[in-house]
Amino acid sequence: MVTADDTEAVSKPSPRVCVLKKEEGETFGFRLRVERGQQGHIIRQLDSLGVAERNGLKDGDRLLEVNEMFVDNVEHIEVANRIQVSGSHLCFLVLDETEYEQAVSEGCDLRELAKASRGEGWRPPRLCHITKEAPGLGLNILPVEGEKGKFTVTPVKGGAAERAGVKKGDRLIWMDGAMVSELSHSAISRMVKKCKNHMTMLLIDSDSEKSYACRKMPILPAMADAENMPYRPRRLHLVLGPEGYGFLLRQEKTGMGRSVHMVGEVDKGSPAELGSVKEGEMLLEVNGESTESLSHNQVVSKIRQSGQQVTLTTMPPQGQDFYTKLGLSPLLFCVDVTSHNPEEPMMETPMMPKPAVPPVEPQDDVQINPNVRLCILERGSAGFGFNLACVQQKPGTFISQVAAEGPGEMSGLLLGDVVVEVNGQNVEEESVEDVILHVKRGGDTLSLLVVDQKSYDWLKKNGKPITVNKLAPISEVEENVSSAAEPPTLKTDDSSDDST
């Protein structure tokens, strides 16, 4: 007699790809929310027959990736910003509500799940910026036989294209803002011949192109590696000095009548100079908020309201014209400038999930009274009202932003506090992504054991335990407080809600 195993096969969560493209004057037709008692970034309020609904998004879906960037562990405000700067074309990877909750309850690695959906041998597309040299760009472009609208690129050995990262057999997807699938071979040849100084191309290897075809996804510049792109905006992190940050800011008009905020004189030896602020660059953001529609006084006020630390996003003014001609937002290509010793070369790393702020080093042989606190937070309408960050290449997580009058501030959290424990669990050696997961899993009440950076370093140096002598009282928190980091268009009720 043959017996069969009665164990049923356990179904694995199956992410879906949803490609959204809106026309001029349209919205994507959904809201992205963070809701009390729920995990993840949640799709809600889909417009009937709108762009999102027509392309497969469903109420309750959880957003895993935006243009192939994993966002489940990223702050909600940053996910909303990423969507806003991506333009008219979005590729979402989502899980339906039931599968997401099942995956979280079973401890499934959602990042690996998202990665597996792309298949074996996948590599992201590449943006290659080619500077023209004599006798030209140093490449040949040919149509792919039997495949209309597809072209292959071969670089000339030792030429400009090869040095810019172009590889033999690359497929050409996009050049200087134009999708080549809509161009003839003669039109492409004319563009190359008319090129005066430089050209930017979006390329991908043939195997990876098949991965996108199988998933019915377009290949977009917003998905690309962009290591050699010029004028990339830099996220800079400054710690307030005794005489301020040490730079001047002025508002100017461009040749096209557009108002921009420019960095003026930078004081020698100031926090601005140490933080790599450069005279003559444009200021695009303060603490992740765009300065485009703000007056000079409003920008200055936001910097002053940041307290002891501020994050600035700057870019050379030439970058404005460059990215405008490509039809891309420069904020897609931000790099995070990590803290560095002035004697050493500066390191730049891709931004996300949160920027790092230089730690405050304690003085040697000084006795201090450690400021260790147990902060109890009740979730407000827009969350707990703080952001987390880490220093690149080091363990440890600290408070990088505290919303004015939010739960975090009311409980006693301060900018720069090192997070020692989350809900009683030590997190000193954990990554910032894991710490964020601990926070999310804690529900509506959160307990954080924190200490200022100077005290933390002193305690560690002297081998003393990090304990609090007196518990901080639980704060009474109003439920309608919104985060100071939210843009003016962000609405709050019992959740964080971004209209998209």
Side-chain angles (χ1 to χ4, degrees):
M1 181 169 60
V2 178
T3 59
D5 190 348
D6 292 333
T7 304
E8 295 184 1
V10 179
S11 61
K12 292 184 178 180
S14 180
R16 307 188 325 273
V17 172
C18 294
V19 180
L20 313 182
K21 185 177 181 180
K22 64 179 181 179
E23 301 299 331
E24 188 173 350
E26 275 190 310
T27 67
F28 287 115
F30 71 94
R31 290 182 181 269
L32 187 66
R33 303 169 67 100
V34 171
E35 297 180 350
R36 181 177 299 149
Q38 302 289 324
Q39 288 186 236
H41 307 286
I42 308 174
I43 303 295
R44 294 294 192 206
Q45 299 180 24
L46 284 86
D47 293 348
S48 179
L49 300 179
V51 174
E53 187 177 77
R54 293 198 310 268
N55 290 281
L57 273 187
K58 298 177 182 177
D59 186 78
D61 279 344
R62 299 308 202 272
L63 186 58
L64 299 185
E65 288 187 344
V66 176
N67 291 336
E68 301 202 308
M69 184 185 80
F70 186 74
V71 298
D72 184 68
N73 62 343
V74 175
E75 290 288 336
H76 187 69
I77 186 65
E78 290 205 20
V79 180
N81 286 344
R82 185 73 180 184
I83 292 172
Q84 289 172 6
V85 301
S86 291
S88 61
H89 222 144
L90 288 172
C91 290
F92 283 174
L93 187 70
V94 299
L95 269 180
D96 71 38
E97 185 172 11
T98 301
E99 288 190 318
Y100 180 88
E101 291 174 352
Q102 175 190 337
V104 170
S105 66
E106 293 175 354
C108 177
D109 189 328
L110 295 175
R111 185 189 292 272
E112 288 301 315
L113 183 68
K115 185 178 178 182
S117 69
R118 301 181 189 130
E120 294 292 332
W122 167 89
R123 288 177 295 276
R126 308 181 317 279
L127 275 170
C128 295
H129 180 72
I130 309 168
T131 301
K132 190 174 182 180
E133 302 172 357
L137 296 172
L139 53 77
N140 294 305
I141 302 174
L142 295 173
V144 177
E145 188 175 351
E147 297 187 57
K148 185 179 179 181
K150 293 191 176 182
F151 301 87
T152 186
V153 180
T154 301
V156 175
K157 189 170 180 62
E162 186 178 64
R163 287 196 296 277
V166 180
K167 300 176 182 178
K168 184 178 180 180
D170 275 342
R171 298 296 183 97
L172 177 61
I173 307 299
W174 173 100
M175 55 193 294
D176 278 356
M179 296 297 291
V180 300
S181 59
E182 301 171 359
L183 302 175
S184 64
H185 184 234
S186 59
I188 294 173
S189 298
R190 285 194 297 272
M191 287 182 67
V192 172
K193 288 178 181 178
K194 289 181 179 179
C195 171
K196 293 183 179 180
N197 301 313
H198 53 76
M199 179 169 280
T200 304
M201 295 183 171
L202 181 66
L203 305 164
I204 194 168
D205 66 86
S206 58
D207 288 340
S208 298
E209 184 187 41
K210 292 174 184 175
S211 169
Y212 285 93
C214 288
R215 292 178 287 151
K216 298 181 180 179
M217 286 178 62
I219 302 170
L220 305 174
M223 301 171 173
D225 283 342
E227 289 303 316
N228 78 332
M229 287 288 278
Y231 314 121
R232 295 180 70 180
R234 300 176 304 134
R235 283 239 167 117
L236 313 173
H237 313 291
L238 312 184
V239 178
L240 188 67
E243 298 181 4
Y245 290 109
F247 71 95
L248 297 178
L249 187 68
R250 62 178 185 267
Q251 191 167 18
E252 298 180 358
K253 291 279 189 180
T254 66
M256 300 182 69
R258 182 177 180 178
S259 292
V260 295
H261 303 279
M262 303 291 293
V263 176
E265 182 180 347
V266 178
D267 296 341
K268 188 172 180 60
S270 67
E273 184 185 54
L274 295 176
S276 301
V277 175
K278 295 179 181 179
E279 185 176 337
E281 290 202 333
M282 297 171 55
L283 179 62
L284 303 183
E285 293 179 324
V286 175
N287 294 327
E289 182 178 345
S290 173
T291 62
E292 186 174 6
S293 61
L294 301 180
S295 68
H296 175 76
N297 289 338
Q298 287 174 319
V299 174
V300 172
S301 178
K302 287 189 177 296
I303 294 173
R304 288 174 175 168
Q305 290 171 4
S306 297
Q308 297 299 306
Q309 301 174 15
V310 69
T311 298
L312 306 177
T313 305
T314 68
M315 181 181 69
Q318 302 94 315
Q320 192 70 52
D321 289 339
F322 175 77
Y323 287 105
T324 298
K325 288 177 181 177
L326 294 181
L328 302 174
S329 167
L331 295 175
L332 287 169
F333 309 108
C334 276
V335 290
D336 191 83
V337 178
T338 63
S339 59
H340 68 288
N341 186 321
E343 301 295 326
E344 298 174 352
M346 182 180 67
M347 287 179 22
E348 294 185 348
T349 59
M351 63 166 258
M352 292 299 228
K354 288 301 296 180
V357 177
V360 179
E361 296 294 338
Q363 297 178 355
D364 293 335
D365 303 322
V366 176
Q367 176 70 37
I368 66 174
N369 183 24
N371 185 18
V372 184
R373 283 154 287 130
L374 183 65
C375 299
I376 310 297
L377 294 75
E378 295 290 334
R379 187 188 294 272
S381 59
F384 290 116
F386 68 90
N387 286 337
L388 294 172
C390 66
V391 175
Q392 296 290 331
Q393 310 300 325
K394 292 184 180 181
T397 302
F398 62 90
I399 305 297
S400 64
Q401 196 170 24
V402 181
E405 300 182 3
E409 184 180 78
M410 299 292 286
S411 73
L413 284 183
L414 300 173
L415 282 174
D417 277 344
V418 177
V419 180
V420 180
E421 293 180 359
V422 175
N423 295 328
Q425 180 171 341
N426 188 282
V427 295
E428 290 177 84
E429 297 298 321
E430 297 195 25
S431 67
V432 67
E433 292 86 0
D434 289 336
V435 176
I436 291 171
L437 288 177
H438 288 308
V439 171
K440 288 183 176 181
R441 290 168 180 161
D444 290 340
T445 301
L446 177 64
S447 168
L448 297 179
L449 183 66
V450 298
V451 59
D452 67 272
Q453 182 75 59
K454 184 175 180 180
S455 298
Y456 180 82
D457 291 341
W458 184 85
L459 289 165
K460 285 296 182 181
K461 178 181 177 181
N462 291 279
K464 296 183 180 294
I466 302 177
T467 56
V468 62
N469 296 324
K470 184 177 180 181
L471 299 183
I474 298 178
S475 302
E476 295 294 329
V477 183
E478 292 184 4
E479 300 244 325
N480 62 349
V481 177
S482 62
S483 168
E486 294 170 351
T489 55
L490 195 64
K491 301 177 181 179
T492 59
D493 40 33
D494 65 341
S495 62
S496 182
D497 178 354
D498 293 295
S499 179
T500 309

